[in-house]
Amino acid sequence: MRKSTTPRRRQAGVAVVALASLLAAGCSSAVNQAEEATASGGSGECQQGGTVVAANSSAPEVSRVFAQSATNLLWVRAVFEPLINVSTAALDDPQPALATEWEISDDGLSAVLQLREGVTFHSGRAFTADDVVFTIQQALDPATVSDVKAILAGWEVEATGEHEVTITSATPLTDTLASTLALTPIVDSESYAGLADGSQLVGTGPFTVESYTPGADIVLAKNTDYWQDGLPYLDRIESTTIGDSTAQVSSLRSGRAQLSSGLTVQDALSVTEGSPQFELLDTINGTYPIILDAVEDQRVRQAIGYAIDKDRINEQVFGGRGTTDGLYWAAASDTYPEDLAGAYDYDPEQARQLIEEAGAAGTEVPITIINLPVIAAEYEIIANNLTEVGLTPSLTALAPPDYQQRLSAGTGGNFLSLRGLNGSPSFLLQTNADLRLEGAHRQFDTPEYTELATAVIEATSPEESAEAVYELTEYMNEQAFLHSLVTAPGAAVQATDLQDVDVVLGGWVPAATCYTE
Amino acid sequence: MTRFLIRRIPSVALVLVATSVIAFLLPRLVPGDPAAVVAGPDASAETIAAIRTELGLDRPLVSQYFDWIGGLFTGDLGQSLRFNRPVSELIGDRLVSTLELALLSGVLLIVFGIGLGILAGSTRSRWARVLVEGTNTGLLAAPPFLVGLLLILLFGVAFRVLPTSGEVAVLDDPGIGIQYLILPALALALPMSAGVARLVQTRMLAVRQEDFIDLAVSKGVPPRRIDVRHVLRNSLGPAVVAIGIRFGDLLAGAVVIEAIFARNGLGQLAVSGAQSADYTVVQVLIVGAVFIAVIGQLLTEVVLAALDPRVRLG
Amino acid sequence: MEDTAHQVPETGRSRRPRGGGAWSRYASALRTPKGMAAAILLVVLIGGALLAPVIFPGGYDQQARGALQGPSGAHPLGTDEFGRDILVRTVYGLRTDLSLILTAVPVSLVIGTLLGLAGYVSKPLGAVFQRVLDIILGFPGLILGIMIVLVIGTGWLALFLAIAVAGLPGFGRMARGGLLSEEQREYVLAARVLGVKRSTIMVRHILPNVVDPLLVQASVFMVIAIFIEAGLSIVGLGINPPNPSLGAMLNVGARYVQTLPSYVIGPGVMLLLLALAFTLLSDALNQAATRR
C-alpha cells in the first residue's frame, strides 16, 4: 500500500500545499487591498487624493456625450464640461461652468455669453468661442445623438469675441437656454473624430481619460491643469460596469465600489438602510408616465388615470422617494401649475363608473414596456390595478432595440416610458419624446394640443408662460392621453465618507468630490 | 491520427459554414434595430435612420454577410455596432478574464470531479459511500448561480476573506488575481464536478465487473493496486471526454457566474450584445464558440484513443 | 451549454435483446431508496402544484400595501415587494416550472430521438441532423436560449422553446449512439440476415434498447431545464410578470437576501427539491437500467 504512492500523487500534494500557503500568508489579501484603497470613515475636512470606484449598471456609451444617458452618468461630466450647469433639483438656478455669465434679451430671442478664460483642453489647447460654435455644429449633425437638437436647430451661434458667444434663436430662449447648454458639453475640435469610437476623449473637465475598455470601464486620472485651483481632490476614478443588480449590491457591501448608479431603488435601500457606510444619493429627476395611444375612448383613458394607485407605485417601486402629482412638469420649474396637480388621484370607484359608462368592461389594454426591473415592477402594480377595475391588461416586454424602434416608429401602442425632467415645460415640449410636436413617440395629436403647446414655447414673459402652461395642462388632464404616474429622482448609492458628490444634468461632477478625514 | 483529422476536415468545414449562416441570421431575426440602441430612448425616427445608414445596416443582407466572411479570412472580425470598436478588440479585452476563470474552474473540476468520483467508486465503507453519494447528489441538484449566491453571502458578508466582486488580471498581479478568481471558479466548477464524479464512479463500478479484474484478484494482486492500476486507469476515459466537452462550456457557459461576481468576461459581452442587437459581436462569438466546441470534440476523440487502445479513430 | 454539466452515465456493456419487463424494471427502480425518495418528492411537488388553485384560491397576484414583511402566521415566508404572499407565489412558481419542464422535456425527447435515429432511415440525413445537433451543442452558454427568447418575445412559449431546443443534442446523440452500437450487434445482424423487415428491427430490437438511456437522460435534463429557466430569469428574460416562476422569484429575492432571507430560501429550497427529485429519479432509473 505504501509503495503505491505514485509520483502523480506527490505532485498533487505539492500543488495543494502551494495553493494553501498562497492563501494563508504568502501574499496580500485582495479584500484588505480593496478596503485600504478607500480612506476610512469620519467627517470633516476634504482630503487630497484617493480613488473612487464608481459602478454603473450599464456600459459607457462614448458616442452619446450630447445626450443625457444613464450609461454615462458616472464619467461624462468629469471629462466634458458644458457652458452652464443645471441641477434637476433646482432647474431655475443655473450655475456658471465654462460660461461665466450670460444675458438674454428682453424679447428672449438672443443671448450673449461670456466664456471663462484660462481654460484648456486636456490636449493643452486653449478653449475659445470657436469651440462653442464647433460643438453646436456637431450636435446638429443628423447622425449625432443629442437631446436638444430640436432647440439647437433654431439657433444661430456666432463667436463675437475670443471669449464671447452670441446666440440668436427663432423661439424664446428665456426658459430653454440653460438646460439646452447644460446638455451640450464642449468637445475638442482637434480630436472630435476620436469621440465616435472613444479612442480620443478630450474635454476640459477635472479628469482626463486614462483608459477606456468599451463595454466595461473608463479609468480617469486627475487633470493637473484643471482651471479651478486646488481641484479636483481625487486622484483617480474607475467607472466600471456591473450589469447584474445582485453583483452591484455585493460590490458595494464588499467595499469595492464607493459610488453606484443604476440599481433599483429597492436595491439601493437594501444597502443604505441602517448602514453607517452608505447613503442614498439623488441623481437626475425623471418622470415615469403611461402613454395611452391605443385607447380610443377618452373616458377609458381617464378611468385608467383613476385606476392606477400611484402612491403604491411610489412606495413599493420607488421607496417613497418620488412624488405623485400626476403632472408631467417638474415641480422645481417656475411655471408649475400647482392647482392642477392631483387631478387623477387614486379612485377605483370613479374608474369603474367611467368604464361602465363607456361600456368598456373587460377591454384588453395591451401595454408595451422596456425590459428593465423598475419598469417591470411598475407594470405589475398597474396590471393589478387595471384588473381590479375590470380591464384586461396584457404585457409586451421588449429589449431596448425593439422597444426603442417601435416607439420611434409610433407603433408602441400603450407604453410605459421614463424621461428626464431636464427643464421648463417649454424645454420639454420641444425635446421630450412624449410631448414634443415633431418626431414624437406619442401618437395623440390634435390641433388644440399643437396650438396650446406652441403658446408655451413662444411665451416670453414669466406671466405669459405660466398662463400658457396652465391652459395646456388643463387640456392634457382632460384628454388624458398620458398620465404621469411618479416623478422620482434617479437612485444612486454613495459611501458616507465621500463628500460633495454633485450631480447635474448629464451626470456626476467630481471636481469637488473628496474623501473626508 | 493525421488521416483521421484530414478525413474530418470536410465535415468540420460544413459545420462552420452552416454555423456562420445561423450566427449571422439569428441575431438579425430578433425584432428591433441596433441603430435605435445607439440613438437612445428619446431619438426620433430621422436620427435612427441616419445612424442606420452610418452603420451600414441599410445594405443588402447578402453583401453584409459576405463582407463579414471576407473580413474573417483577413483577420478582420468586424466593427461593433454599439461601441464603434473592432470586435477583435472587444473580445481581446475580455478573453483573458474568461480564460482565467475557465482554467481555474477546469482545474477545480478535475480535482473535485475525479477526486469525488474515485472516493465514491473505491470506498468500501458503507457510510463513507452514502456521504460521498449524498454530496454528489446535492451538487447535481444545485444550480451554479445558487452556489455562487451562497458563496457571496458566506464570503461577502460573513467571512470576508475573499473578494466577491470584480477582478484583477492574474497576469498583472498573480497573488491578488487568484483570490478574485477562487469564488467564481468554485461556483462554476462544483456543480459540474458532480457530473464528472458520477461518471468516474459508474465506470469504476462497471470496470470492476470486468473479467480482467477477476483475473487480477485471483492472481492475488492487492486491492489498492487493483484500484489504481487497473480500475482507475480504465475508468478515466469517459471522465476525460466529459471534461473535454465541459471545458468548452466553462469557457463559454460562465454567463451567470460572470454576472453575479461582476466579472467582465466573454459571457457578459455575449449577453449584452444579444440584448442590444450588436449583431457583429454576437455572430463572431457564436462562430467562435462552435469552432472551439468542434475542435474540442476532435481532441477528445484523439485523447480517448490514446487512453484506450480498443478505441480506434475511424 | 452549462447544462452538459450533467451527463448520462453510459449504459451497461453487455446488451441482450429482450422482450417485455420494462415496466417491472422501472417499478423496481422506484422501490430502491433513491427511487422511493424521488417518487415521494415528485408526488408531493406535482400534487402541490396541481392543487395550488385549490389551496390558495386567491391566486398569486394579491397585492397589498404591506410589502416585504417578515414571516408571520398569515404569511409563513413573508410578503414580496408588492405585498404578495411569498409562499403562495413559490407554489405557483413551482407550477410554472413544472408546466414548462414536463411539457418541454418530452417534446425535446421525442424530436431529439427522431433526429438521432434519422440515420437509420437514411445515412446522409442522419449525418446532416448530427451536424445540426453539433451546432446547437456548440452554442455558447445561455446564448441560444437568450436568442430564442428575444426572437419569440418573453413569456412561457419562449422558455418552452428554449428548453426544448437545448435538449435536442443530448437526446439526439444518445439515440444515435444507441443506434450505432445496436446496429452492429449480432442479433440485429442475424435478424437482418433472416430477412426481418427494417422497421420491425427498429421497433422490436433497437428502440427498446435505446429507451433506457433516453429515459435517464430525460430525467437528467429535467434538472437542466430547471436551471435554464432560472438562468434566463437571472438575465431578465424569464416568465412575464405578474406570473411567478422559481427562477424569477430567486432573481428578485436575491436582492433582499439580507433583509428578507425567506424570499430566497422559499423558492431556493423549492428549486433544490425539484432538482433533487429528478436527480434521484435519474439515479434510480440508471441503476435499474445497468443492473439487469
Side-chain angles (χ1 to χ4, degrees):
Chain A
M1 207 156 95
R2 211 153 296 148
K3 70 182 169 191
S4 70
T5 306
T6 61
R8 218 171 299 146
R9 196 183 284 179
R10 232 174 285 131
Q11 276 166 12
V14 170
V16 168
V17 171
L19 191 66
S21 61
L22 191 73
L23 285 178
C27 65
S28 54
S29 149
V31 172
N32 292 341
Q33 198 188 44
E35 277 165 4
E36 278 157 18
T38 70
S40 55
S43 66
E45 294 279 298
C46 256
Q47 250 180 358
Q48 281 290 341
T51 297
V52 167
V53 175
N56 199 350
S57 60
S58 44
E61 291 177 305
V62 294
S63 61
R64 287 172 61 188
V65 298
F66 295 130
Q68 172 167 281
S69 170
T71 58
N72 293 334
L73 198 75
L74 296 182
W75 72 273
V76 75
R77 283 294 175 273
V79 178
F80 297 100
E81 297 177 303
L83 296 181
I84 297 175
N85 270 333
V86 174
S87 135
T88 50
L91 285 174
D92 42 9
D93 185 24
Q95 298 294 319
L98 291 184
T100 49
E101 51 189 277
W102 54 95
E103 213 178 293
I104 300 174
S105 64
D106 287 343
D107 63 358
L109 297 178
S110 70
V112 180
L113 294 98
Q114 305 303 324
L115 306 183
R116 197 174 292 279
E117 296 179 31
V119 175
T120 57
F121 285 96
H122 299 155
S123 57
R125 191 173 64 82
F127 158 72
T128 67
D130 290 336
D131 293 303
V132 178
V133 178
F134 174 81
T135 296
I136 289 174
Q137 272 170 3
Q138 299 315 313
L140 276 170
D141 185 277
T144 301
V145 180
S146 161
D147 288 343
V148 293
K149 215 181 255 181
I151 293 180
L152 294 178
W155 285 11
E156 293 274 343
V157 184
E158 209 183 327
T160 43
E162 200 188 346
H163 292 101
E164 188 188 274
V165 172
T166 304
I167 298 170
T168 47
S169 167
T171 54
L173 293 165
T174 330
D175 289 335
T176 56
L177 179 75
S179 292
T180 307
L181 289 177
L183 287 166
T184 311
I186 301 302
V187 294
D188 171 37
S189 51
E190 285 179 352
S191 62
Y192 184 72
L195 195 62
D197 65 355
S199 56
Q200 278 185 296
L201 298 167
V202 178
T204 60
F207 289 85
T208 59
V209 175
E210 189 179 288
S211 70
Y212 164 51
T213 313
D217 53 30
I218 290 194
V219 179
L220 308 174
K222 180 179 185 162
N223 173 8
T224 47
D225 290 327
Y226 189 53
W227 54 267
Q228 285 192 71
D229 285 335
L231 298 182
Y233 288 107
L234 297 171
D235 286 337
R236 255 166 89 82
I237 295 172
E238 291 172 22
S239 190
T240 187
T241 308
I242 302 180
D244 185 78
S245 48
T246 312
Q248 214 176 27
V249 167
S250 83
S251 78
L252 286 164
R253 288 211 182 108
S254 66
R256 176 185 176 211
Q258 292 79 45
L259 193 61
S260 180
S261 167
L263 11 66
T264 66
V265 181
Q266 298 291 358
D267 286 350
L269 288 172
S270 79
V271 176
T272 56
E273 264 175 4
S275 160
Q277 283 161 309
F278 294 104
E279 60 192 18
L280 276 182
L281 169 72
D282 288 354
T283 62
I284 314 284
N285 279 329
T287 182
Y288 294 78
I290 181 168
I291 287 81
L292 297 171
D293 275 343
V295 181
E296 292 292 323
D297 195 313
Q298 185 184 343
R299 287 167 298 185
V300 180
R301 294 201 300 260
Q302 291 174 340
I304 290 174
Y306 289 118
I308 299 174
D309 190 347
K310 300 163 201 72
D311 285 328
R312 190 155 72 85
I313 296 181
N314 183 25
E315 223 172 86
Q316 296 183 340
V317 181
F318 298 96
R321 293 165 69 250
T323 54
T324 54
D325 56 10
L327 296 184
Y328 207 117
W329 319 121
S333 123
D334 280 337
T335 51
Y336 180 75
E338 212 172 335
D339 297 352
L340 298 175
Y344 287 98
D345 281 348
Y346 182 49
D347 188 349
E349 257 326 297
Q350 177 87 6
R352 271 189 214 104
Q353 216 172 320
L354 280 164
I355 288 170
E356 202 176 306
E357 267 174 42
T363 307
E364 199 185 329
V365 182
I367 297 175
T368 303
I369 70 167
I370 188 166
N371 206 346
L372 292 176
V374 177
I375 307 289
E378 218 191 326
Y379 172 80
E380 292 220 35
I381 295 181
I382 294 171
N384 188 274
N385 287 157
L386 295 187
T387 311
E388 235 164 68
V389 298
L391 297 171
T392 314
S394 67
L395 174 70
T396 312
L398 303 175
D402 202 2
Y403 174 83
Q404 283 163 20
Q405 188 202 19
R406 285 201 210 185
L407 257 58
S408 67
T411 55
N414 306 315
F415 59 94
L416 298 182
S417 83
L418 153 63
R419 312 275 180 201
L421 284 182
N422 294 335
S424 63
S426 168
F427 176 82
L428 295 179
L429 285 168
Q430 295 176 68
T431 56
N432 181 300
D434 296 334
L435 301 177
R436 64 191 175 209
L437 297 175
E438 271 168 46
H441 296 177
R442 151 196 56 84
Q443 295 305 296
F444 176 89
D445 207 8
T446 61
E448 289 92 339
Y449 179 77
T450 309
E451 192 187 314
L452 291 165
T454 310
V456 174
I457 293 168
E458 296 196 330
T460 47
S461 72
E463 299 76 33
E464 210 184 319
S465 150
E467 201 187 313
V469 170
Y470 193 92
E471 279 176 25
L472 171 68
T473 311
E474 254 182 335
Y475 179 74
M476 287 168 69
N477 275 350
E478 180 200 314
Q479 291 296 321
F481 57 89
L482 54 77
H483 294 285
S484 169
L485 303 177
V486 176
T487 299
V493 174
Q494 69 163 98
T496 38
D497 54 8
L498 271 183
Q499 192 171 295
D500 291 326
V501 184
D502 306 321
V503 179
V504 297
L505 293 193
W508 170 37
V509 184
T513 304
C514 67
Y515 282 108
T516 51
E517 309 248 309
Chain B
M1 195 179 87
T2 326
R3 260 189 49 213
F4 161 75
L5 288 177
I6 290 173
R7 282 231 322 266
R8 293 295 290 269
I9 286 178
S11 99
V12 168
L14 200 71
V15 166
L16 289 180
V17 169
T19 306
S20 76
V21 175
I22 295 174
F24 179 83
L25 286 180
L26 192 56
R28 286 167 174 81
L29 281 179
V30 177
D33 186 350
V37 177
V38 176
D42 290 328
S44 63
E46 290 81 63
T47 308
I48 295 179
I51 292 175
R52 261 188 91 74
T53 314
E54 210 183 61
L55 293 176
L57 289 168
D58 50 354
R59 292 178 304 136
L61 276 186
V62 178
S63 85
Q64 289 186 44
Y65 174 77
F66 282 107
D67 280 358
W68 173 51
I69 296 295
L72 286 185
F73 281 105
T74 59
D76 174 14
L77 304 184
Q79 286 271 335
S80 156
L81 299 172
R82 180 150 171 247
F83 298 112
N84 227 322
R85 281 286 180 106
V87 175
S88 53
E89 196 185 304
L90 288 170
I91 291 179
D93 286 340
R94 290 161 181 76
L95 190 63
V96 175
S97 164
T98 302
L99 270 181
E100 280 173 358
L101 181 60
L103 278 175
L104 186 59
S105 328
V107 171
L108 293 177
L109 178 61
I110 291 171
V111 171
F112 286 115
I114 296 189
L116 263 178
I118 293 177
L119 223 55
S122 61
T123 183
R124 285 170 179 87
S125 143
R126 190 182 147 77
W127 286 112
R129 184 128 96 216
V130 168
L131 190 75
V132 174
E133 284 244 335
T135 314
N136 226 340
T137 310
L139 284 176
L140 268 178
F145 74 87
L146 216 56
V147 176
L149 221 59
L150 209 68
L151 289 175
I152 287 180
L153 260 186
L154 220 61
F155 287 95
V157 184
F159 314 101
R160 297 180 53 172
V161 288
L162 284 173
T164 53
S165 170
E167 61 192 307
V168 167
V170 172
L171 289 178
D172 293 351
D173 187 343
I176 296 294
I178 200 130
Q179 294 182 48
Y180 275 96
L181 264 179
I182 289 175
L183 293 182
L186 263 182
L188 196 56
L190 270 182
M192 285 197 184
S193 64
V196 175
R198 188 51 66 81
L199 267 172
V200 173
Q201 179 195 359
T202 324
R203 282 292 295 152
M204 281 180 77
L205 293 179
V207 171
R208 219 172 253 132
Q209 317 285 326
E210 299 265 356
D211 300 340
F212 67 89
I213 301 288
D214 295 342
L215 184 71
V217 172
S218 61
K219 267 179 20 190
V221 181
R224 281 284 155 191
R225 195 179 160 81
I226 292 184
D227 272 358
V228 175
R229 275 286 164 85
H230 299 285
V231 179
L232 202 52
R233 192 181 236 165
N234 286 298
S235 306
L236 289 183
V240 170
V241 179
I243 291 171
I245 293 175
R246 251 152 253 184
F247 190 75
D249 290 346
L250 288 172
L251 210 60
V255 172
V256 173
I257 293 299
E258 280 179 2
I260 64 175
F261 284 97
R263 295 178 65 86
N264 270 308
L266 290 177
Q268 283 310 292
L269 184 66
V271 173
S272 70
Q275 292 194 325
S276 61
D278 203 340
Y279 306 150
T280 45
V281 171
V282 177
Q283 66 199 19
V284 171
L285 287 174
I286 292 176
V287 169
V290 173
F291 180 71
I292 291 173
V294 169
I295 298 296
Q297 229 169 332
L298 279 183
L299 286 179
T300 330
E301 283 177 48
V302 171
V303 172
L304 208 55
L307 265 181
D308 186 345
R310 282 172 305 182
V311 176
R312 215 171 278 138
L313 293 173
Chain C
M1 309 199 50
E2 85 188 72
D3 12 309
T4 21
H6 303 257
Q7 217 190 24
V8 172
E10 58 173 43
T11 43
R13 250 159 203 289
S14 42
R15 281 309 194 79
R16 245 148 254 123
R18 72 201 148 77
W23 287 114
S24 72
R25 216 171 55 252
Y26 297 139
S28 82
L30 292 185
R31 279 197 293 274
T32 61
K34 277 186 176 177
M36 202 108 76
I40 293 173
L41 259 177
L42 280 177
V43 167
V44 171
L45 291 175
I46 295 177
L50 283 177
L51 291 178
V54 182
I55 313 171
F56 306 114
Y60 51 75
D61 195 26
Q62 283 192 308
Q63 303 188 3
R65 289 210 168 254
L68 297 170
Q69 288 171 347
S72 64
H75 305 293
L77 292 177
T79 59
D80 75 355
E81 69 275 31
F82 303 113
R84 302 176 294 205
D85 187 291
I86 293 175
L87 177 66
V88 172
R89 284 183 67 79
T90 305
V91 175
Y92 275 96
L94 172 70
R95 202 175 146 90
T96 306
D97 275 50
L98 279 171
S99 80
L100 276 170
I101 63 174
L102 291 181
T103 51
V105 176
V107 166
S108 186
L109 168 70
V110 171
I111 299 178
T113 307
L114 289 179
L115 290 180
L117 293 181
Y120 189 73
V121 181
S122 134
K123 280 243 155 19
L125 197 66
V128 167
F129 284 150
Q130 201 54 29
R131 296 290 93 81
V132 172
L133 296 180
D134 280 349
I135 293 174
I136 298 179
L137 191 68
F139 257 69
L142 274 176
I143 295 305
L144 184 62
I146 291 175
M147 302 304 302
I148 290 175
V149 176
L150 288 175
V151 171
I152 306 279
T154 58
W156 190 91
L157 182 66
L159 290 172
F160 170 88
L161 283 176
I163 292 171
V165 173
L168 294 179
F171 293 119
R173 287 168 153 243
M174 193 121 302
R176 186 173 158 88
L179 172 71
L180 290 181
S181 72
E182 295 300 325
E183 258 186 334
Q184 302 307 317
R185 304 260 162 202
E186 288 88 350
Y187 71 90
V188 173
L189 296 175
R192 196 170 285 166
V193 171
L194 288 173
V196 179
K197 270 199 295 186
R198 278 173 71 82
S199 57
T200 314
I201 296 181
M202 183 64 168
V203 175
R204 295 284 291 277
H205 300 290
I206 296 182
L207 216 47
N209 275 312
V210 292
V211 158
D212 277 353
L214 280 172
L215 277 183
V216 177
Q217 166 76 359
S219 58
V220 168
F221 189 65
M222 292 278 183
V223 180
I224 297 162
I226 299 166
F227 295 176
I228 294 178
E229 190 277 322
L232 286 172
S233 297
I234 298 273
V235 291
L237 296 174
I239 198 99
N240 276 338
N243 271 309
S245 79
L246 295 179
M249 289 185 72
L250 274 176
N251 186 28
V252 179
R255 300 178 206 154
Y256 305 106
V257 72
Q258 286 200 309
T259 45
L260 187 62
S262 60
Y263 200 163
V264 170
I265 295 172
V269 167
M270 191 65 93
L271 187 142
L272 277 177
L273 285 179
L274 187 60
L276 194 65
F278 284 111
T279 308
L280 290 172
L281 180 70
S282 67
D283 276 3
L285 287 177
N286 189 41
Q287 275 172 12
T290 42
R291 204 175 27 228
R292 86 192 141 85

